[in-house]
Amino acid sequence: MKSTVSRPKARAALLQELEEAMRRSSAQGVIFGQTVANVAGISGSDLECLDFLNLEGRVTAGRLAEVTGLTTGAITGVVDRLEKAGFVRRERDETDRRKVFIATVPDSVAQIGRFYVPMQQAMHKLWSTYSEAELQLLLRFASESYKSVLEATEALKGLIDAPKQKAPKKLGRPRR
């Protein structure tokens, strides 16, 4: 009987440890990225959007909004800032001049990319310690985590856009 009680507790403790480890990793990644963004002279969120552009390739603002979870209005501001900083350019579609793609400027992006070499080396060193099966699991975890965070971003927008909850009325001054 004791093992059935301890298994849920052990799982809960493991899940807590995993959450904390992921939070630490995420926070450190944000700090790392913000440091690079500061050197590049752009915001951290603009740098992350630039990374999405590196991953996606030449895309429309709509597609960039889709993969980031940002609104198209927010993406317009991001692209304006990245273009002004020289990291991206807008390119008209050859067949439909109304369609505009956002493309990275390779030489400018390479200047930022060099700052990620230590991170890539550290991650490759870590990944080399895993079996192929473990790497498949990690890939599934990372891919599904991205989808979960994208869903959470949508939920966050709903919370932000929801009418403000009225604060409960105070029942008098607190006693001192």
Side-chain angles (χ1 to χ4, degrees):
M1 188 69 135
K2 198 175 199 181
S3 64
T4 57
V5 174
S6 64
R7 287 186 73 65
K9 286 183 182 179
R11 181 174 174 82
L14 184 60
L15 289 172
Q16 181 66 35
E17 277 187 68
L18 178 59
E19 179 183 338
E20 289 174 10
M22 292 301 302
R23 287 172 56 194
R24 286 178 196 278
S25 180
S26 176
Q28 191 59 48
V30 169
I31 290 168
F32 188 98
Q34 186 59 58
T35 302
V36 173
N38 290 346
V39 171
I42 58 177
S43 74
S45 58
D46 288 356
L47 179 70
E48 296 305 326
C49 288
L50 182 58
D51 196 28
F52 273 106
L53 283 167
N54 282 322
L55 293 168
E56 291 286 314
R58 184 175 176 252
V59 295
T60 63
R63 174 64 181 159
L64 188 56
E66 186 181 307
V67 298
T68 62
L70 296 173
T71 65
T72 53
I75 289 299
T76 298
V78 167
V79 173
D80 287 346
R81 292 186 297 274
L82 289 174
E83 187 174 45
K84 184 177 178 185
F87 293 112
V88 302
R89 65 178 164 261
R90 288 176 167 97
E91 299 175 345
R92 294 233 177 252
D93 187 313
E94 296 296 322
T95 58
D96 181 353
R97 302 293 291 161
R98 295 168 297 173
K99 196 173 199 177
V100 177
F101 288 96
I102 298 116
T104 60
V105 176
D107 290 343
S108 298
V109 171
Q111 293 299 315
I112 294 175
R114 66 190 176 95
F115 295 115
Y116 284 94
V117 171
M119 175 78 78
Q120 288 174 316
Q121 290 172 338
M123 297 312 297
H124 287 198
K125 181 179 175 184
L126 172 64
W127 296 338
S128 72
T129 67
Y130 293 110
S131 70
E132 244 181 84
E134 288 170 322
L135 290 171
Q136 288 291 336
L137 175 65
L138 291 171
L139 176 59
R140 190 178 108 218
F141 173 77
S143 298
E144 291 177 10
S145 291
Y146 162 72
K147 291 174 188 170
S148 294
V149 173
L150 199 55
E151 287 174 17
T153 302
E154 287 301 313
L156 175 62
K157 284 191 235 176
L159 287 173
I160 291 169
D161 294 340
K164 303 278 188 240
Q165 296 282 334
K166 289 187 178 180
K169 291 183 180 181
K170 293 183 180 177
L171 299 177
R173 290 193 300 185
R175 294 187 180 167
R176 295 181 191 199

